[in-house]
Amino acid sequence: MISGQAIADHSIAHAGPWPRSLRGQLVLIPTAALLVGLVATVGIVLLGARTRIATEITSGIQLGDELVATALRNVANDTSPAAAFEHLAQELPRVRHVQFSLFPSDGPLLQETKAQIDDSSQHQWLWLGQLLAPPPVERVFPVIVRGQTAGEVRLRSHSADEVQEIVSEVALFSGVLIGLCLLIVGALLWTVQRSLKLVQLLADGFDRLEQEDYRPIVPIPLLELRRVGQQFNHLAQSLQRVTTDNHLLIHELISLQERERKELAAELHDEFGPALFGIRAEAACIMRAMPLDEAPDREIRERARSIADLTDGIQKLNYRMLERLRPLVLEQMGLCQAVRQLAASWQARYPNMTWLLIIDRDFDEPDEATSLTLYRAAQECVTNVIRHAEGSEITIRLRQMEAERTDEMDAASAGSRVLLSVHDNGKGLPKNLRFGFGLLGMAERVRRHGGVLRVRNRHPSGAITEVVIPKHGQVPKGEPVHADPAD
Amino acid sequence: MRILLIEDHPIVRAGCRRLLQTRDDVEVQEAATAADGLRIVREFTPDIIVLDLNLPDVNGMSLLAPLLSAAPERKIIVFSMYDDPAFAQRALESGARGYITKNDDPDVLLQAIETVSGGGLFLTASMTGKLALMAARGGSDPLRDLSGREREVLELLGDGKTLAEIADRLNISYRTSASLTAQIKTKLNITSTAALIKWAADRLRA
């Protein structure tokens, strides 16, 4: 509302190290931990894989050896080599990691037991197999039927299915871990999102405090923040109390000042003025009654003249005091004439400055209270310009604005308004403008009328003070906000 | 010469009476309120009325018309606390023949009576000066000679609008907006449109 007050101290927010994001940290930390776990698991599995494959292959070959030896013993007495190979083909079962091949001496490859997974079919894992698996082992057993060599059985180790198993295990581990990771991060994000919304509620609350909106925020449905919410509401309440007290105090001060001025002005006007006139009238009568040019007439006449002169001085002082206390023109002739006279009297004192007074052609005189407020505002503005602006031109404007809402500064009132603006071409507002009592008092007067006071710099130079007052009374404040933090 | 004094303050009335009685040819009656004044004026039929502006029941300025309506040839001298030329101007416009203040030398009252009874208008030298200054300066309003339309055009020029935009906004023809601009230049004694736009932007834009 009093825009000048909120200018300074925004730099504090940007001080200190780069701000960390809670959300980012909550995602990063568990993700990193889970990734480390994943890498470690895969590493451990792969490290153990070489030994595991070697052991598996060795036991497979041992088993193969025994099976081949047994089968060979069983076919030793078969009737023909062909029958023996047929027998062998039935006898030799499938064994993990081992491939049997039957080679009759008089013919081509008879049969080959398929490995569970052919090495050659697993191209994508071949490099892993080569890395992890020991070199393949090949054994050759002669097939002897009735003392005659009928061919051979070849036994060959295969590591591909073991590699495949390890790869599947790693894939499963990784899949489960990544899924878990996503689940945890998702849950964390959701929780953080919800909690941050509540923090946002608080932040919005503080923003509103800055705008002098002291409505409480809704109870926070989060144990850890609930107390903060309650504290916020207490803070808002006490702040509102303090602000109200402040407004009241300033208002009281101003009313008191205005009342005293009025009483003093009434005394000066109703008692001092006539009495001083009375004295001068008496002195004038004395002078008329003493027309002769010799003593004692002359002496008496001169004394009476002195009394008249002294009284004249006091009368002039009396009039100036009256003007300062409560401008007679304002009471008798209204705001426009009073502001004209204000400009004229300042112009007489500062003839080197250009004084411009622009009043709307159809300007209606506002009611007495509004007029007084606007007049005092004009007085204060002009005084400020003279004291601080170091400008050469000052423009005072009185306007009235009809029902359209063209200005964002008082969206609350859409009725017709009176606008007073005073601007100069001086050096502009100081960097850290603090309202002195004059401006504070002016802002409070304006606020009491439901109006707005705005002080700002003007392009290309100088400053402008604007006062907007609704023509008819005050505008009530809105209803309390009911924000739902959960949505 | 019959003089009616309408003045609420007894000290001022006493002072005036004593001053007026220094002349032999006057007959003075007094009224402390506007109501009394209006009543007495009917019976007493004064030649001159000395009227205070600050009466307890009514503003003296608004009493001028009823006092004059019965006898327009009656001469009224306004006698007030207010030194501002605007009061004097309004009093004279409302039919008063003289304007003096309680801060002037009391002899001025006698001079004023002398002047107005002879058919003249009376103002003190200092008030005449102030009135002349006020007329010359016109209350420092540079736009005092501009019509409402001309003011609107000037504001829009200050806001950076072109003549075509102004014509559109105000629902007038381009020719009209151009001729209004020319009139404004004449009235403000500014030669170029660019200078006029700068003038308006410097002074009218918020």
Side-chain angles (χ1 to χ4, degrees), chain A residues 6-157:
Chain A
I7 290 174
D9 292 351
H10 276 301
S11 54
I12 292 170
H14 299 297
W18 191 261
R20 286 169 299 175
S21 151
L22 180 62
R23 203 174 311 179
Q25 288 184 74
L26 282 176
V27 172
L28 267 182
I29 292 171
T31 309
L34 284 166
L35 267 181
V36 168
L38 185 65
V39 168
T41 312
V42 171
I44 287 167
V45 169
L46 289 181
L47 275 181
R50 219 182 150 80
T51 345
R52 180 173 149 189
I53 292 170
T55 318
E56 285 281 321
I57 300 265
T58 314
S59 70
I61 286 178
Q62 269 173 7
L63 183 62
D65 280 355
E66 278 168 31
L67 283 172
V68 171
T70 312
L72 286 179
R73 269 198 303 276
N74 288 346
V75 301
N77 294 319
D78 278 359
T79 48
S80 69
F85 272 99
E86 200 171 311
H87 196 176
L88 270 178
Q90 283 166 4
E91 285 267 318
L92 288 176
R94 289 189 170 202
V95 175
R96 272 161 65 86
H97 315 312
V98 176
Q99 186 185 26
F100 301 112
S101 311
L102 303 181
F103 289 95
S105 36
D106 55 350
L109 169 68
L110 184 71
Q111 186 178 354
E112 207 168 38
T113 56
K114 292 282 184 210
Q116 278 177 328
I117 294 164
D118 195 349
D119 277 6
S120 60
S121 70
Q122 294 297 314
H123 292 299
Q124 69 264 48
W125 301 116
L126 210 55
W127 61 274
L128 198 61
Q130 279 167 354
L131 209 67
L132 296 174
V137 179
E138 190 167 300
R139 306 255 177 107
V140 180
F141 299 88
V143 177
I144 297 165
V145 179
R146 294 178 182 270
Q148 294 289 314
T149 301
E152 55 188 37
V153 174
R154 285 184 199 164
L155 180 155
R156 196 184 153 84
S157 69

Side-chain angles (χ1 to χ4, degrees), chain A residues 406-419:
Chain A
T406 50
D407 199 338
E408 87 289 349
M409 71 187 275
D410 60 341
S413 78
S416 82
R417 293 157 294 161
V418 193
L419 188 143

